[in-house]
Amino acid sequence: GQLVESGGGSGQAGGSLRLSCVGSGYGYANYANYAMAWFRQTPGEGRVGVARISLVGRAQNYADDLKGRFTISRDNAKKTLYLQMNGLKPEDTAKYYCTRSLRGYVYPGWDDFGDWGQGTQVTVSS
């Protein structure tokens, strides 16, 4: 499969950005029947889970310090995952990756995701 992120860029603290990720390499079933997630990574660090969403979007989970500022959503008909980021802070600066769960029909924890996109850079200035 192939996941293609977009929407990154530079923003000011307090501003907003919306990331998108299209599952262009997947058929509908191989997208819609899998949980999806956003991770982020800063230089020298590992990837850290940001938000994850269940198959039809009824369940979402966020990193503790991001809930209330970030919102994950998905449109299965468009095979697209979104991350709305509000109240941006300089510490949100990172490369953001879209990913699909390794197994279908489940809502896994952070450790059960693979199939990474190429990432999109978000840079927040103070």
Side-chain angles (χ1 to χ4, degrees):
Q2 184 179 11
L3 296 166
V4 180
E5 300 97 335
S6 63
S10 298
Q12 294 283 330
S16 297
L17 284 173
R18 189 194 197 202
L19 306 184
S20 299
C21 171
V22 179
S24 59
Y26 299 109
Y28 175 81
N30 280 331
Y31 183 87
N33 293 326
Y34 286 75
M36 299 293 294
W38 289 96
F39 281 65
R40 66 186 182 185
Q41 186 174 25
T42 54
E45 302 291 329
R47 288 175 186 169
V48 176
V50 171
R52 63 187 195 267
I53 188 167
S54 61
L55 278 62
V56 295
R58 289 198 184 104
Q60 302 103 39
N61 288 85
Y62 298 88
D64 289 342
D65 57 340
L66 299 178
K67 192 172 183 180
R69 293 197 297 122
F70 288 13
T71 303
I72 189 172
S73 60
R74 65 189 295 170
D75 184 336
N76 286 343
K78 295 180 179 179
K79 293 185 286 183
T80 302
L81 179 73
Y82 303 99
L83 184 69
Q84 178 67 42
M85 304 187 294
N86 298 329
L88 286 167
K89 301 177 180 180
E91 51 263 44
D92 294 323
T93 295
K95 196 165 190 179
Y96 285 72
Y97 294 89
C98 169
T99 180
R100 192 189 73 157
S101 64
L102 292 171
R103 296 174 294 146
Y105 302 100
V106 298
Y107 185 44
W110 296 113
D111 294 335
D112 206 18
F113 286 87
D115 257 7
W116 301 93
Q118 83 289 351
T120 186
Q121 179 67 37
V122 171
T123 302
V124 183
S125 56
S126 58

